[in-house]
Amino acid sequence: EAEVAQSPRYKITEKSQAVAFWCDPISGHATLYWYRQILGQGPELLVQFQDESVVDDSQLPKDRFSAERLKGVDSTLKIQPAELGDSAMYLCASSWGLAGSSYNEQFFGPGTRLTVL
Amino acid sequence: GESVGLHLPTLSVQEGDNSIINCAYSNSASDYFIWYKQESGKGPQFIIDIRSNMDKRQGQRVTVLLNKTVKHLSLQIAATQPGDSAVYFCAETIQGGSEKLVFGKGTKLTVNP
């Protein structure tokens, strides 16, 4: 069964350092999402891609966060510099993104657990 | 702003009992709702969904009820098993748009053997 892949699974870094997370969506999925999940809360959308284009990055802290999906397949989320409050689970999800369909189910990866010291 | 909240943060049941997990939503424009299950160290997993033109939908051992009048939905799990222990989230979205999911805070279900 196809799955969304993420790496690394765990990352520990010191504040002010740069970190990067990688996501490989299910093959053929046009839409890719990055979510942040603080412990005890539900995921919150950071950025949404349709192919290589950003559809929604309204909740992305653009002074320190960046995301790219250059070839419309895999994606990288970067934080520079990391702050203590960035400690969270970073989840990637993908969907077919078919225009006109009733709903495109999102499939989630296992996440990257980030700890900032 | 948009938000989806839950009534209880934790729920503990005995194996074999039925479980009911509740969720309140605030965006009256939302027309599609999904329940997710998240086990420790894993990403959310789709359980069941319901569209706003329905008030009940059944799956295998799970039922979702939607009450648009009071903006409330619930997840019922029949004959709860230890493997059902997880955090359950409801999420809302508007179909045909960006399909951005808005999640609630989650309810942690513990099933005691």
Side-chain angles (χ1 to χ4, degrees):
Chain A
E1 183 175 305
E3 296 179 340
V4 176
Q6 290 189 248
S7 67
R9 292 295 310 279
Y10 304 91
K11 179 68 177 179
I12 299 174
T13 191
E14 294 183 342
K15 64 180 181 179
S16 80
Q17 296 298 305
V19 291
F21 314 130
W22 177 79
C23 172
D24 191 13
I26 293 172
S27 179
H29 279 193
T31 307
L32 185 146
Y33 309 81
W34 282 102
Y35 290 86
R36 177 170 58 186
Q37 184 177 25
I38 296 170
L39 190 64
Q41 297 184 20
E44 293 181 308
L45 181 69
L46 290 174
V47 62
Q48 177 183 348
F49 289 92
Q50 180 70 24
D51 299 310
E52 68 276 6
S53 300
V54 173
V55 173
D56 184 350
D57 64 355
S58 58
Q59 299 303 310
L60 189 70
K62 299 180 188 63
D63 57 334
R64 297 185 301 108
F65 286 64
S66 65
E68 60 182 18
R69 193 184 184 199
L70 294 176
K71 297 183 178 179
V73 182
D74 57 339
S75 175
T76 302
L77 178 69
K78 297 179 181 177
I79 308 175
Q80 183 174 17
E83 295 181 353
L84 296 178
D86 296 332
S87 294
M89 175 79 86
Y90 290 84
L91 293 162
C92 179
S94 69
S95 71
W96 286 107
L98 298 173
S101 67
S102 58
Y103 178 69
N104 291 282
E105 181 181 342
Q106 295 184 28
F107 296 84
F108 285 82
T112 296
R113 169 72 66 188
L114 173 66
T115 301
V116 182
L117 302 175
Chain B
E2 300 174 343
S3 66
V4 178
L6 297 175
H7 293 306
L8 291 173
T10 62
L11 177 65
S12 183
V13 300
Q14 291 298 122
E15 182 178 358
D17 287 352
N18 296 332
S19 302
I20 299 176
I21 301 172
N22 295 304
C23 176
Y25 65 95
S26 61
N27 187 357
S28 57
S30 294
D31 58 4
Y32 188 74
F33 306 89
I34 308 158
W35 280 100
Y36 282 91
K37 173 186 180 183
Q38 188 173 25
E39 297 175 279
S40 181
K42 297 183 179 180
Q45 180 183 13
F46 174 97
I47 301 174
I48 192 168
D49 58 3
I50 190 168
R51 290 182 171 79
S52 59
N53 61 353
M54 304 170 68
D55 53 20
K56 180 179 180 179
R57 188 163 189 224
Q58 288 184 294
Q60 187 176 13
R61 285 201 306 118
V62 294
T63 301
V64 55
L65 300 178
L66 175 64
N67 185 331
K68 295 180 290 295
T69 302
V70 294
K71 297 179 185 173
H72 180 272
L73 68 160
S74 66
L75 177 70
Q76 300 178 0
I77 305 174
T80 314
Q81 303 169 359
D84 295 327
S85 293
V87 178
Y88 290 81
F89 294 96
C90 64
E92 61 179 312
T93 190
I94 300 172
Q95 294 182 82
S98 68
E99 297 179 341
K100 169 183 174 180
L101 290 175
V102 177
F103 285 83
K105 289 186 172 62
T107 294
K108 183 177 181 180
L109 175 65
T110 301
V111 182
N112 302 307

